[in-house]
Amino acid sequence: MSSSTLSSTTTPTGDRAAMLRRFFDVLEKVVLLAFYTYFLVPIIKAVWHHGDLGASLLAFSETLVVALVFFRRPAQVLSHRPGDWVLAFGATLAPTLVRPGESGPSMLGSAAVLLMLLGVCVQVGSKSMLGRRFGVVAANRGICASGPYRVVRHPIYLGYLLTHIGFLCIYPSGWNATIYALAYCLMIPRIFAEERLLRCDPAYVAYCQRVRSRLIPGVL
């Protein structure tokens, strides 16, 4: 087969794949922005009426997710599995449905705010190391093995866990507990979905041999 024939048969496929990636990239950003707007309104009210630091920390945490998604680099490999997309969006968007209490923070406020602050610091430190490699759906935008990634393979999710536990202690309710339970029922399989894709990269396989824990050092 001549090079011209090969080019004519492979280029359209490559073009379609690139267009598909761009389409899903835009779709992901639109969905995130819509849910974020819905999430932000009651959080702003809580901050305005109660001067609530916990609500402010949660708003900052979720805002950072949206900002990084809008400025990320294109993926080298992006999952096309519908189940991976459901897990990614479900685990990301479910926590935005929690709500602060109408009467303000609980008596556990001070200690829980410190826990939230620790979680946000873990998130920010991890996201700053990941930089433009950050994404929502399982993808490979380059392997990060420095900073918090020397301790666990998914330190951002560890930061979320600490932040969410703190928020739930500040605003204990059946609704918030249910939302977070749903989020983590999706988060754990999401981690395995991401690693299934990333393990196609020999660099990630080598990284996993050095860093054994996925989420909690010595536990998971």
Side-chain angles (χ1 to χ4, degrees), residues 61-85:
S61 169
E62 301 299 340
T63 301
L64 192 56
V65 171
V66 177
L68 287 173
V69 166
F70 270 80
F71 291 102
R72 69 190 174 191
R73 69 174 61 161
Q76 301 169 13
V77 181
L78 177 66
S79 175
H80 292 165
R81 291 172 177 245
D84 291 355
W85 282 75

Side-chain angles (χ1 to χ4, degrees), residues 64-129:
L64 192 56
V65 171
V66 177
L68 287 173
V69 166
F70 270 80
F71 291 102
R72 69 190 174 191
R73 69 174 61 161
Q76 301 169 13
V77 181
L78 177 66
S79 175
H80 292 165
R81 291 172 177 245
D84 291 355
W85 282 75
V86 171
L87 290 172
F89 276 106
T92 299
L93 299 176
T96 67
L97 300 177
V98 297
R99 291 292 175 260
E102 294 296 330
S103 59
S106 72
M107 296 299 293
L108 295 174
S110 297
V113 165
L114 291 178
L115 185 61
M116 287 192 71
L117 184 59
L118 174 61
V120 169
C121 288
V122 172
Q123 289 180 50
V124 172
S126 303
K127 289 171 182 175
S128 65
M129 296 304 302

Side-chain angles (χ1 to χ4, degrees), residues 23-33 35 69 72 78 81-97 135-138 157 182-183 186-187 190 194:
F23 169 77
F24 280 114
D25 179 75
V26 172
L27 177 63
E28 184 178 339
K29 292 173 181 177
V30 169
V31 173
L32 277 176
L33 188 60
F35 270 81
V69 166
R72 69 190 174 191
L78 177 66
R81 291 172 177 245
D84 291 355
W85 282 75
V86 171
L87 290 172
F89 276 106
T92 299
L93 299 176
T96 67
L97 300 177
V136 175
V137 177
Y157 298 155
L182 171 63
L186 298 170
M187 181 73 75
R190 177 191 188 183
E194 290 180 354

